[in-house]
Amino acid sequence: MLFGKLLPREGNFFELFNQHGEHIVEGARAFIAMIEHYADVPVRERHAAAVITAEQKADKITAEVNRLLHKTFITPLDREQIHGLINAMDDVLDLLQDTTETMSLYDVRRMTEETLRLGQLSARCCERVRDVVALLPRISEPSAVEAAMKTCEEIDHLESDADRVMRSAMSKLFREEPDVRELIKLKAIYEMLESITDRCEDVANLIEGIVLENS
C-alpha cells in the first residue's frame, strides 16, 4: 500500500495536451501569415521561423509526455491512448514545419489562391484539434462528450473540404500551369497541405475512440 502511495499518480497529461494544442494553433497561424505575406521576404521569413519555433516547443512537450508515461503509476487514460494521441498531435506540427521548409527549399516564388485556401482549411482543422483536446479532462460529462464528438465531426468535414479543394487545384494546375518546374513544386505543396488535414483527422479519430471508451 505504501509503495503505491509513493508512486506518481495521474501526472499533468491533460495540461500537456492543452499546451501542445496551443502550439499547433500557434504554428498554423504563423503558417497562414507566411502565405499571406509571401511576397514580402523578410516578413515571410519571420513567420516561417515562428512555425519552426512552435514545432520545437511542441517537441519538448511530446518528450515530456513520453517521459511521464514511464514514471507515472496511474494515468488518466490508457497508456497507449496517451502515447498515440501526443504523437498524432506532433505529426500535425511536423507536417506544418515540413511544408514551410519545402516552400523555401523548392524556392516557390508565388502563392496561389488554392495554396491559401488549403492553408486556411488546415489552420481551421488545427484550431478544432486544440478545442477537442481541451475537452478531454471532462469526458465523463455528457455535455463534453457531445461537444467532443461534434468537434471531431467538424474536423472530418474540413478534411473532406480540403480533399475537394486539392482535387480542383490539381486539375487547374495541370490544365493551366505552363512551367513544368512550378507545376512540380505546387503539386508537392498542395499534397502536403492536404496531408495536414489528414493528420488532424487522425487526431479526431483517436479522440473519438477515447471518448467512446471513457464516457
Side-chain angles (χ1 to χ4, degrees), residues 38-193:
Y38 203 78
D40 187 332
V41 176
V43 176
R44 178 213 304 176
E45 289 178 351
R46 188 171 76 244
H47 290 306
V51 176
I52 292 163
T53 299
E55 193 276 335
Q56 289 168 342
K57 286 192 255 184
D59 266 353
K60 288 179 182 172
I61 292 171
T62 302
E64 175 63 10
V65 167
N66 287 319
R67 186 188 69 80
L68 263 181
L69 272 176
H70 288 296
K71 57 178 284 192
T72 305
F73 183 52
I74 296 174
T75 55
L77 301 171
D78 179 85
R79 287 172 188 277
E80 284 187 11
Q81 289 175 331
I82 291 171
H83 184 261
L85 180 56
I86 197 64
N87 285 322
M89 291 173 70
D90 212 44
D91 286 345
V92 175
L93 250 178
D94 284 347
L95 199 45
L96 271 167
Q97 181 188 2
D98 288 348
T99 309
T100 301
E101 291 179 341
T102 298
M103 285 180 177
S104 176
L105 287 169
Y106 284 13
D107 191 26
V108 174
R109 300 293 176 88
R110 63 184 172 86
M111 285 295 103
T112 62
E113 184 185 323
E114 291 77 16
T115 307
L116 180 59
R117 180 80 181 114
L118 283 166
Q120 288 169 336
L121 287 167
S122 298
R124 285 170 63 195
C125 262
C126 289
E127 288 171 354
R128 297 301 187 280
V129 164
R130 175 201 57 193
D131 296 345
V132 75
V133 164
L135 292 165
L136 283 174
R138 296 172 39 227
I139 53 171
S140 59
E141 302 170 21
S143 61
V145 169
E146 185 181 350
M149 298 305 275
K150 183 173 182 288
T151 308
C152 287
E153 191 177 328
E154 287 172 5
I155 292 170
D156 287 342
H157 287 319
L158 287 166
E159 191 278 331
S160 295
D161 288 346
D163 268 349
R164 282 193 290 274
V165 171
M166 189 187 75
R167 284 196 295 271
S168 172
M170 289 293 196
S171 173
K172 182 179 176 184
L173 187 64
F174 279 92
R175 279 186 286 110
E176 298 181 9
E177 179 54 64
D179 186 326
V180 174
R181 284 182 301 180
E182 280 300 303
L183 185 150
I184 291 167
K185 292 175 189 179
L186 286 168
K187 178 177 181 290
I189 298 302
Y190 291 164
E191 287 171 344
M192 292 180 86
L193 284 166

